[in-house]
């Protein structure tokens, strides 16, 4: 990687602490990714993106800002990328997947809180995330209680706009969500000086949906036995979708999907035919959290799908453009895509998520489901009981795991995963 210290300094980063973070990533990436055998050549692009995660892309964001463009950060797949993009902005997912940031977060948050939230705030407070230092605005969302209250603290350190999400997918819930999309549009129009039009939103919707379709195509290849792609590689491609340049990402993902199709035709897989197959569900798995995938795939199984927000919830639904003829109807369609297409445990009831888990387990040929939740994530953990009942009715084995970002529980997790796999 080139030397980006001048760029990082211009972003007001804590360079010494950030150097420690940069030193920790390459060995972790090497152990998790580069030690895998027979990877598709198309993964070279994604390796490069991770190697340059705090370099090249940050330079691109700086160039975008120098041209007058807006950079918006988010922590949730409900934040509509299409609207940011239509107004000439770039939306980046703020990672929050490393233990490195947790201690700084714990200075202002209770220890008994989900590590994703603590790492998110810690990244900002420690000034060691160049994405956080690049954003002009963070769009938060009232989803779980922890995030909702954390935005009140984060808002003291970075400009914030919070979207209010309904708890129910009802007509009243839709009306609230549609109004929240209008409020976000107004905020972004004010900040960019641009106006949302039917034309620019339609173009952005097509652009973002092309990205989702590329992901559908790529992840669809994992249904084959043998899967042409390891779950660990599949996961990192989705994680990168949250911050890479959209048209370039779409092209590279389509290229990788084509290579995976060719590998299927040649009978080539990331693991041998007949390797046990597992579907992952639960809380999002954000960069650089690769722990559960790595444990499963070094315990003799392959992860063939992710029913979570760094998986199918991110890319499975697209905007239905049939019947769309003007800006209000396009905004309605977009609002429906988000509200009807993403099934987060912050909603009640949330039966559609169980339907998705069952459908994906069947489609991918998974013999078992691993429900992995982050510690102190109450919504997903409470929902775990109804997921267990549903999967028991369907005859699908389930392993429920709770973890955080520390490596301390890996031995215990591995023992439980191995025992689960033995019985599949
Ligand atoms: S749509 S899953 S990205 S809210 S893990 S912070 S829920 S305590 S991340 Fe999420 Fe949007 Fe829902 Fe998806 Fe809270 Fe749980 Fe932590 Fe979570």
């Amino acid at each position: 990687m080139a030397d980006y210290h001048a760029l990082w300094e211009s972003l007001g980063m804590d360079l010494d602490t950030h150097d420690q973070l940069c030193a920790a990533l390459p060995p972790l990436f090497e152990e998790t990714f580069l030690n895998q055998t027979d990877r598709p050549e198309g993964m070279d692009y994604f390796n490069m993106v991770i190697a340059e995660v705090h370099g090249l892309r940050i330079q691109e964001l700086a160039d975008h800002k120098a041209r007058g463009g807006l950079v918006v950060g988010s922590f949730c797949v409900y934040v509509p990328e299409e609207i940011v993009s239509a107004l000439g902005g770039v939306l980046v997912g703020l990672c929050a997947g490393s233990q490195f940031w947790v201690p700084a977060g714990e200075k202002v948050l209770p220890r008994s809180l989900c590590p994703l939230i603590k790492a998110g705030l810690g990244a900002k407070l420690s000034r060691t995330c160049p994405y956080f230092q690049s954003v002009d605005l963070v769009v938060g969302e009232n989803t779980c209680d922890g995030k909702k209250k954390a935005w009140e603290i984060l808002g003291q350190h970075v400009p914030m706009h919070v979207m209010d999400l309904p708890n129910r997918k009802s007509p009243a819930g839709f009306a609230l969500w549609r109004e929240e999309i209008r409020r976000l549009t107004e905020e972004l129009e004010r900040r960019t000086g641009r106006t949302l039009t039917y034309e620019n939103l339609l173009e952005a919707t097509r652009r973002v949906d092309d990205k989702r379709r590329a992901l559908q195509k790529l992840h669809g290849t994992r249904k084959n036995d043998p899967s042409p792609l390891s779950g660990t590689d599949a996961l990192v491609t989705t994680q990168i979708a949250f911050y890479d340049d959209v048209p370039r990402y779409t092209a590279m993902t389509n290229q990788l999907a084509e290579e995976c199709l060719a590998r299927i035709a040649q009978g080539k897989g990331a693991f041998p035919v007949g390797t046990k197959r597992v579907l992952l569900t639960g809380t999002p798995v954000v960069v650089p959290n690769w722990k559960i995938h790595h444990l499963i795939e070094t315990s003799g199984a392959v992860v063939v799908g992710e029913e979570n927000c760094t998986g199918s919830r991110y890319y499975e639904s697209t905007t239905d453009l049939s019947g769309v003829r003007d800006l209000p109807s396009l905004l309605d369609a977009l609002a429906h895509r988000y509200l009807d297409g993403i099934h987060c445990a912050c909603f009640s009831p949330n039966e559609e998520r169980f339907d998705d888990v069952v459908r994906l387990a069947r489609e991918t040929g998974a013999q078992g489901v691993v429900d992995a939740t982050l510690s102190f994530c109450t919504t997903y953990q409470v929902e775990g009981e109804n997921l267990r009942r549903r999967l028991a009715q369907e005859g699908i084995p389930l392993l429920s795991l709770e973890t955080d970002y520390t490596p301390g529980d890996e031995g215990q997790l591995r023992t439980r995963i191995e025992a689960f796999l033995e019985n599949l």
Side-chain angles (χ1 to χ4, degrees):
M1 188 165 82
D3 186 356
Y4 291 101
H5 280 82
L7 172 64
W8 296 331
E9 192 165 19
S10 73
L11 294 171
M13 295 182 63
D14 175 342
L15 296 182
D16 290 342
T17 315
H18 182 246
D19 281 349
Q20 293 168 27
L21 176 61
C22 289
L25 193 61
L28 176 65
F29 190 72
E30 183 167 343
E31 189 201 331
T32 314
F33 290 90
L34 305 184
N35 284 346
Q36 300 177 102
T37 52
D38 199 17
R39 302 171 75 208
E41 279 177 20
M43 283 308 297
D44 288 353
Y45 171 75
F46 300 93
N47 292 343
M48 183 280 291
V49 174
I50 290 287
E52 286 283 342
V53 65
H54 281 193
L56 202 60
R57 185 63 182 143
I58 299 301
Q59 184 63 61
E60 288 178 351
L61 294 180
D63 295 344
H64 171 75
K65 285 162 73 92
R67 294 191 297 268
L70 196 74
V71 178
V72 177
S74 93
F75 283 95
C76 180
V77 296
Y78 273 102
V79 176
E81 180 171 8
E82 295 85 344
I83 296 179
V84 178
S85 182
L87 293 169
V90 172
L91 184 74
V92 290
L94 296 167
C95 322
S98 171
Q99 178 64 21
F100 188 86
W101 292 309
V102 169
E106 286 180 345
K107 287 187 181 157
V108 294
L109 293 167
R111 294 189 68 191
S112 54
L113 188 70
C114 142
L116 194 150
I117 303 172
K118 290 190 288 193
L121 261 69
K124 178 62 203 170
L125 296 178
S126 62
R127 295 182 290 113
T128 51
C129 172
Y131 291 89
F132 234 133
Q133 296 304 109
S134 300
V135 297
D136 302 295
L137 177 75
V138 172
V139 179
E141 13 62 54
N142 286 343
T143 43
C144 65
D145 286 352
K147 273 182 169 177
K148 185 165 37 186
K149 299 308 288 182
W151 305 147
E152 295 170 12
I153 300 169
L154 185 60
Q156 295 161 24
H157 301 275
V158 63
M160 280 212 73
H161 175 89
V162 178
M163 299 185 82
D164 200 15
L165 258 83
N167 287 178
R168 279 177 184 272
K169 294 179 180 181
S170 58
F174 180 80
L176 168 65
W177 177 235
R178 180 66 174 78
E179 169 59 14
E180 286 303 291
I181 288 187
R182 190 201 60 74
R183 257 190 354 105
L184 176 70
T185 303
E186 204 173 81
E187 173 72 25
L188 292 173
E189 284 182 332
R190 190 179 65 74
R191 286 180 179 271
T192 58
R194 299 187 184 203
T195 305
L196 192 73
T197 64
Y198 176 57
E199 288 74 23
N200 61 25
L201 184 58
L202 190 61
E203 197 186 320
T205 301
R206 290 191 171 129
R207 190 162 51 237
V208 174
D209 278 348
D210 281 348
K211 169 168 69 169
R212 296 193 180 113
R213 276 188 277 270
L215 280 159
Q216 290 167 12
K217 183 172 172 182
L218 177 67
H219 291 280
T221 66
R222 298 165 74 195
K223 292 174 187 165
N224 193 69
D225 184 13
S227 170
L229 190 66
S230 73
T232 310
D233 277 341
L235 170 67
V236 81
T237 61
T238 319
Q239 290 174 330
I240 289 170
F242 284 79
Y243 62 90
D244 200 9
D245 173 74
V246 176
R248 181 179 60 210
Y249 176 88
T250 304
M252 298 314 293
T253 302
N254 275 322
Q255 199 173 304
L256 178 61
E258 287 297 331
E259 186 185 349
C260 285
L261 289 171
R263 279 164 70 91
I264 290 173
Q266 295 156 8
K268 274 193 188 171
F271 295 90
V273 183
T275 300
K276 288 187 176 164
R277 301 166 70 85
V278 165
L279 176 77
L280 191 84
T281 183
T283 48
V285 187
V286 291
V287 167
N289 177 15
W290 303 306
K291 188 175 175 177
I292 298 291
H293 275 67
H294 182 59
L295 283 171
I296 293 173
E297 297 203 323
T298 51
S299 298
V302 54
V303 180
V304 287
E306 296 81 20
E307 189 288 316
N308 62 25
C309 289
T310 40
S312 61
R313 280 183 233 143
Y314 178 70
Y315 59 74
E316 264 207 331
S317 61
T318 51
T319 301
D320 180 1
L321 295 175
S322 60
V324 163
R325 62 207 166 275
D326 52 17
L327 186 58
S329 58
L330 179 51
L331 284 166
D332 281 348
L334 198 64
H336 276 297
R337 181 265 156 194
Y338 281 89
L339 199 62
D340 306 343
I342 305 171
H343 307 305
C344 172
C346 298
F347 283 83
S348 177
N350 194 32
E351 286 291 324
E352 297 97 328
R353 176 175 163 229
F354 309 146
D355 296 341
D356 280 352
V357 173
V358 171
R359 174 179 55 79
L360 286 167
R362 304 256 190 261
E363 282 176 11
T364 58
Q367 288 124 337
V369 171
V370 172
D371 180 25
T373 55
L374 288 168
S375 307
F376 305 109
C377 176
T378 317
T379 45
Y380 279 87
Q381 282 164 1
V382 174
E383 194 164 279
E385 169 58 13
N386 283 340
L387 176 68
R388 186 193 64 74
R389 289 166 63 103
R390 175 66 187 276
L391 291 183
Q393 281 166 14
E394 305 281 347
I396 301 173
L398 170 72
L399 173 67
S400 300
L401 300 175
E402 178 183 332
T403 188
D404 57 19
Y405 295 160
T406 62
D409 58 358
E410 283 179 8
Q412 191 201 44
L413 290 171
R414 187 181 291 283
T415 307
R416 293 192 57 206
I417 289 167
E418 284 172 353
F420 178 66
L421 296 177
E422 234 168 69
N423 290 319
L424 288 184

